[in-house]
Every structure is written in structure tokens, then in C-alpha cells.
């Protein structure tokens, strides 16, 4: 059963499993102790640190093992912000960072700091010049992911790092999605990553802090891991993380080329196989294994469910698949459609046949979901002739994505060219999806107005 | 080779290993995802939570998995203190808590809070009445360990919990050392524990927060584990922790009785086998597996090293075995000797023969360390007749534990009864060990004075 959600987590790499097994026997003791079990554990931990540091491209004493990538980011951001408090309290991040970065930024604001969130283009990429323009005299820290976790777009880290270096601002790079493929280029100051993204075990992350970066660890003091990761060290996980990172790196070049070809095939074929679909993310500067697309008139949760029944495990940035019922902040920042969103992220070793089987199943699955929702057929959407008057109101209050867009599409032909449809909706996804639909359909999005009955009116002018 | 440092960590329990292996295959995916791998992971996590909650004695929705016992304590304390900020900022802890509690208390002080540290008796136990007297109108949180990690003394948690309940103050119990033996009695509000203490894997701890306790998690927000433990869940470790906790509990009663007999044997025999030794910790209200003693005129690091060479792994609270060169805060709070300190903590399944072998080796090892240090023989210590004048200065500046006490013992007989020895020392351990020596020897400790050349003069009056 093909698992295409590698950007969330991948199964344990065989090398990680072997290393874990071996170090369960040798690495369970407290490495701070003087007895032989403690010394043995310490040796394993030191060796894991050296191997991980080599793969990251830093000195062993610059790297600590954390309990997750999220902890690495939280500690890295809090430590650098506190260490640079004299410089100021301004933080700059991209608007498409992982939620752990954005949550830490919100926390920083709640604690009195200021935050600039740099936008991205429709492909999901930060502009290095625009990012650099955000640097201020009181900027304490900048954060930029090496590549985006939802759409695979690679960010201009080396250029941003250079701008940060010139400004004397440390740059923290969240390398969670890219570290398996190679070290992060450029003069970064802090780097965070998570082992379960490359086939290491859960419960282990990396935080590298370059010598010379002012750093003041948050929280109560603790002697372990240079004071940067409190609590008993998880040595078997550290050993397995380091060993599997080396193992995936050994095959990274060949596997990257192979997966890039497979995701390229999906990028090319999806628009041929499906109507009303948008492949999102930068077509060139992208990770090898991730491809993301959004389908009009499709409920993301129903789509995931049908794909799961067909044997394919993927994820989605659609609001209906989120516990908060908010569409993905990444898709929102890019200004692309969030409804019917599918992220395919291929684990290393994915067979070409599995990708073909997915492409084979996809049209059937999408049609079935669209049929269940009563999505408009292409000719139906073209309209049943203009309605009387120049404006038409579509009330979808209380109904969720993708219903507002489906109802809009059904009636757009009922107003004359130049006429306006008011879509009333209280679903947050509509704020993103109505404009995205207009962009895809060549209609004009006029903006939103508060709706007296609650929710919002989204105004669309028929252009053709 | 007998490993007697179970209070630091124990090897993985066979049940934990099996559970870990099985859940590496089934529990690697993201439990927040909708696909089958995610749902399978979620089921495992839910089952682990139920099993752990049953063993703790709380509801599953009151328990989260953390990445260590230290994290459980840090999060529990910070969350309860923040949640009760309106009540006040006073924190009360015992002076013999694990360093993670005391470090969190220091952090709370640095952040503007106030802390009361309740002392202990010479056996290491808090007095419940004294603890209750420390509760104030502005007390936000109280913390008390279920049992001490260095000397094994069991604390009066149920009585303290009752006093806290009456005062409307939540009590956090650090149950790291006792949870393997049974649930914590009494009306506690929060409970923290660590799996590697009972044979679970590293990288996993428990935090229980009773319903109704005001709690505001520290740090950036995160959806996982009810917002109380950010970062990707370590499901294999959670499953292994829960399974091994059930397994050790099934044998806890029988094994506790067996280990208690073995540690009782050590408690009784050590004073017969060694001269100048003090067994510390409460002789009755104590954990089954821990026994601790201190030996005069012995360097703790040398003693650990010699025991290690003889095949026995133990730990020590002596200053020379600590990275900070400070004696154990627990021994200090108890007012007992810290030099030549040995903590024997027996893992479940320890063979009686191994304990006998330890008792057999101990006198030889201690004698050897004492001989290396030039410790005074019993008759030598009794003195070579009074020195001229009533006071004698012993300069041990620049020399470390146990040298100050050894030099004191060598000269005490050189002053007349009623005469005074001034011991000059700049080793922090002397502050604890000179008074402890006086207590053991029936001499009078008069106090300390600053020494103009640096360090401190400790004054001892010869009484006999």
C-alpha cells in the first residue's frame, strides 16, 4: 500500500533500526556517570554527535541532540532571541515557515517582541532582497526554512544568509525537509532538524549553534547537552539518527534524481488527467520528493478518505483536514487554492509503478468526490443565461469548503458579464478559495465586505 | 558485572524491548494524519496513554507523554505556576528535590517569583507539618518528591497533599523514583515521572495534571499532547514505557520485599565491615532498592573508580564526582557527611550473591583508597599529645575533599581538650564535612570565619 506522506514521517530506515537495537544494549546508562556503563553510553553519544555534525557541516561541540525538530526550533529561537536581547527584539520569519516557527514567533510577540513575516510569491518562494529589506537595526534573529514542507519550494537560504551576515543578524534555518538530501549551503548561524523525516526514530532532533552566536538557553538550567536540551539523553535515538542520516546521504544524489523524475511526472500528468486543478509550488527550485496540487470543487477530507480507500496515503492543507478548520497558512501565503488540496511526498525507494497506480486512480477518485458534492459540470458552470438585475446573492452561510466555491461556480453564468455575485460565507477557507477560483477562471475578485447576518460577503465580477 | 546504579537508569526491560520493536513497525507515522498509517499510530498512542494512566491512577485525558522526567517536571511546574498566577507567585519545594525541580525553582525566582525551600531531618524526610506551615495565601504551587533519589527516604506525600488540598494549593509530585513500585497515594494535583527509571526507554516521561488544576503550558503553542508536550510524538517509546510499567508493577510487591531485604543487609553490614562510616537515609520509610553511606577519609571519585575496577557500578554524591565540584545538595540538606559517599541502587532482579560479593569487596576497596590518601589510623587520630598553646591551624587551602577532614583528624589530638583547631579550606565540601566529622567524632563544631588569605576557617573544639 503506497505511503506518500514522507514529509510528515517515514518508516524507520533499516540502518536506524540496527543502530537502535545495538545501542539499546550499550547506550541505556547515564552518560554523566563514571562507571563503565556510563562511560560506554558517553562514547556512543560522542560518536553520534560527531557523525551528525559531519553531516550537518558543523563542529561536534556546536551540535546538540534535542527531543524533536520542534524542540530544536523552539530552543534555537528562544535561545538566540534571549542571547541577542541587547540588539533588540525584532524577529523576521517567512510567512511559510513550519507552524513551530510561527508559534514561537507568536510567543515572542506575546512576550513583547515584534515580528516581521515576509511574504512569498505564488510559487511559495521568499524573495531574498525583500527578506533582506526586512532586516532592521534592532533585528535579533531571522528564520528561514531551507525548503517548504507543504509545497516543496526551495528557499534562497544562501543569499538570505549572506544578507543576514552583512547585517550582523544570526539566521536560523529550519532544515527539517532538506537535511536528508544534503547540508544547507551558506553562512547560517543556527540550524534545526528532525530525525523522523529522514528515517531516524521519533523523539530526536538536532540543533546546531555556530560558535560565536550569542545564545541563552530558555527555561530552567540543566547540565545535559551543553545546557541546551534538558533531560536524560536518548542515546539509542541519537545513534540511530546519526547512522541513518549518513545512510540516506550516501544514496541522496541518485535517489534525489529518481524521485525528482517521479514528482515531475505527477506535476506534468495531473493537469492532463484532471479538470480544474492547480499544481502549486515552484516547478524548478523544489525538493525531489514533494508535489502538491489543489482541485476545485473537492472536499479535501473526502478526497483523502477516498485515496486512503484506494490504498494511497497522502496529506492535505485543506481546512477540512485540519483540527482548527483553517486552511494551510502556506497555501494562504501563496494565494493559491486550498480546497481539494493534496500533498504527495514520496519516501526514498518509492516504486515508479506505485506512482503510476496513483495517477491511474486519481481521476476516478476526484470524479467520485465531485459527484458526491454536486460539483458543476464544465458546461453547467458556463451558465444558464443572465439573471434579471446585475447582482446575485449566493448564501452559503453555515456550509463548509468547497461548497461556497461550488455554489459560486454554479451561478456565475446567471449574471451578465460585468455583473456581480455576492458569496456569503462564514467558512475561513472561502477567503482564500474565492479569489483563487477567480484567478483560475479569469473572473475578477472585487474584495470582501462584512455581512450583517454574520460572516463575510465575497464579491466576484463576471468578466467573460 | 553487577550494576548498582538503578536510581540513575536501568537497562531496557524485556517487555519494553518487545513493545518498542513492535511499535517501531506500527507507530512511526504522524498520529494527527487521517491515513491508515496515521490512524494506526493514533490507536497505539491512545492505548499507551490508557495503560499508563491506569498505572498512575488518573484519567487518560489527564496524562500526556513528555520527552523526559525533567521535561515533565519543568512543564508541570511552569504550567501550574502560570495557571495560578492570580493566586500569587510563591512556590514551595523541599530542599531535597531532584535538581530539575530546584532548577525550575531558581528559574521562577529569576522571573520574579518567591520560593520557600523546606528543610529535612537528618534522615532526609520532610516534616509534613513544617511543609504545611510554609503554605501561604499567595502560594501558587507546592512540589514534593514521592521518595528521594539519593538516599531512598520516602516523603509524607499523602499528608502534605491533604494540607495542600485544604489550602487550595496544587501539589506536584515528582514520582520518578517510586512509580515502578506503585501509584502515589494522596490527593496530588500533578505528577511527573520518567520511564528509564523503571526499565522503559530513554526519551519518554509522564505528566499527569488532574482535571480542575489551572494550567497554562509554557512556551510556544503546539497541538500535540493536549498542548503540553510540543513536538512529534515518540509513540514507540510511549508504548514501551506503558508496557514496561505494567510489567514491573505486576512483580513489584514480591520484588520490593526481596530488594528491601538486600538493602537492609547492606545497611546492617556496612557499619560492621568499615570503620568511620555513616549509613544515611531513613532506616524504615525508604525505597526498596536504595542504600547510601559515606566513609570518612575517602575520596569519592577514587572509591567509585576502585569499585568499578572491582566490577561494581555505583554512584556518589561526593563533590569530587560532580561536574560542578559541589557536594550533593541532598546530603547537604540532611547535614550528613558527603565525603566518600556511595549510593547503591539495586535494579529489580539483583542477585543476592552480587550483593554479598559487593560487601566482600568493600572493606578492601575502602582500605586501599584510604591508604592512598594517607588517612589517619584510629590510634594516630587519637593524638600525639597536646600542642603548645590552645589553638592549632591546619592549612589545606587549594586541597580538595577529603584532605581537609583527614588533616583535621590527624591533629585533633595535638590540641588539649578544650583547645581549637582552625581548618583553612577553600573546598566547598568542607563546609558540610567538617561539621559532619564533628558529629560523628563527638567533637564540637564552633562555626566558620572568613579567612583573609581566601577560603574559610572552620573552627573545631576538642571535646574528648
Amino acid at each position: 500500500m503506497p505511503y506518500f506522506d514522507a514529509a510528515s514521517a517515514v518508516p524507520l530506515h533499516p540502518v536506524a533500526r540496527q543502530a537502535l537495537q545495538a545501542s539499546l544494549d550499550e547506550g541505556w546508562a547515564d552518560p554523566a556517570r563514571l562507571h563503565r556503563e556510563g562511560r560506554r553510553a558517553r562514547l556512543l553519544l560522542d560518536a553520534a554527535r560527531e557523525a551528525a555534525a559531519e553531516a550537518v557541516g558543523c563542529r561536534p561541540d556546536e551540535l546538540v541532540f534535542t527531543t524533536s525538530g520542534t524542540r530544536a526550533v523552539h530552543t534555537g529561537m528562544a535561545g538566540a532571541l534571549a542571547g541577542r536581547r541587547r540588539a533588540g527584539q525584532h524577529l523576521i520569519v517567512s510567512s511559510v515557515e513550519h507552524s513551530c516557527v510561527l508559534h514561537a514567533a507568536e510567543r515572542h510577540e506575546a512576550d513583547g517582541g515584534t515580528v516581521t513575516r515576509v511574504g512569498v510569491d505564488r510559487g511559495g518562494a521568499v524573495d531574498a532582497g525583500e527578506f533582506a529589506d526586512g532586516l532592521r537595526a534592532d533585528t535579533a534573529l531571522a528564520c528561514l526554512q531551507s525548503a517548504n514542507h507543504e509545497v516543496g519550494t526551495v528557499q534562497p537560504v544562501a543569499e538570505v544568509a549572506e544578507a543576514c551576515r552583512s547585517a550582523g543578524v544570526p539566521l536560523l534555518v529550519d532544515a527539517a525537509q532538506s537535511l536528508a538530501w544534503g547540508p544547507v549551503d551558506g553562512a547560517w548561524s543556527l540550524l534545526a532538524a528532525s530525525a523522523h523525516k529522514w528515517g531516524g526514530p521519533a523523539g530526536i532532533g538536532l540543533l546546531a549553534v555556530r560558535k560565536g552566536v550569542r545564545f541563552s538557553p530558555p527555561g530552567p538550567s540543566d547540565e545535559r547537552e551543553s545546557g541546551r536540551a534538558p533531560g536524560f539523553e536518548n542515546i539509542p535515538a541519537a545513534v540511530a539518527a546519526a547512522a541513518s542520516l549518513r545512510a540516506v546521504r550516501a544514496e541522496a544524489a541518485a535517489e534525489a534524481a529518481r524521485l525528482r523524475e517521479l514528482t515531475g511526472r505527477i506535476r506534468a500528468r495531473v493537469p492532463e488527467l484532471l479538470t480544474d486543478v492547480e499544481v502549486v509550488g515552484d516547478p524548478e527550485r523544489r525538493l525531489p520528493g514533494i508535489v502538491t496540487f489543489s482541485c476545485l470543487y473537492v472536499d479535501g477530507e473526502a478526497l483523502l478518505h477516498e485515496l486512503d480507500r484506494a490504498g494511497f496515503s497522502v496529506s492535505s492543507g485543506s481546512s477540512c483536514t485540519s483540527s482548527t478548520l483553517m486552511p494551510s497558512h502556506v497555501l494562504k501565503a501563496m494565494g493559491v487554492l486550498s480546497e481539494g488540496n493534496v500533498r504527495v511526498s514520496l519516501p526514498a525507494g518509492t516504486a515508479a509503478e506505485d506512482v503510476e497506480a496513483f495517477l491511474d486512480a486519481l481521476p476516478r477518485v476526484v470524479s467520485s468526490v465531485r459527484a458526491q458534492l454536486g460539483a458543476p459540470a464544465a458546461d453547467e458552470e458556463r451558465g444558464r443565461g443572465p439573471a434579471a438585475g446585475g447582482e446575485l446573492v449566493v448564501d452559503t452561510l453555515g456550509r463548509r469548503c468547497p461548497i461556497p466555491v461550488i455554489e459560486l461556480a454554479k451561478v456565475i453564468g446567471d449574471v451578465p458579464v460585468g455583473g456581480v455575485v455576492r458569496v456569503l460565507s462564514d467558512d475561513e477557507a472561502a477567503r482564500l478559495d474565492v479569489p483563487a477560483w477567480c484567478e483560475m477562471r479569469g473572473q475578477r475578485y472585487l474584495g470582501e465586505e462584512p455581512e450583517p447576518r454574520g460572516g463575510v460577503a465575497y464579491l466576484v465580477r463576471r468578466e467573460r
Side-chain angles (χ1 to χ4, degrees), chain A residues 6 57 79 100 130 145-146 159 171 188 222 249 254 271 338 345 349 370 412 429 447:
Chain A
C100 67
E130 187 187 339
Q145 62 194 187
S146 55
E159 293 156 81
L171 175 69
W188 51 264
D222 190 275
R249 282 286 185 81
S338 80
S345 54
R370 282 180 174 162
I412 189 72

Side-chain angles (χ1 to χ4, degrees), chain A residues 1-46:
Chain A
M1 305 274 273
Y3 173 79
F4 292 166
D5 192 18
S8 291
V10 295
L12 206 59
H13 191 285
V15 166
R17 182 181 296 259
Q18 282 167 22
L20 192 67
Q21 308 276 33
S23 50
L24 288 172
D25 290 327
E26 297 285 318
W28 53 269
D30 185 343
R33 296 292 174 198
L34 302 175
H35 46 59
R36 85 192 74 91
E37 292 85 357
R39 296 193 306 266
R40 213 152 57 196
R42 166 64 56 192
L43 286 175
L44 280 176
L45 180 59
D46 290 346

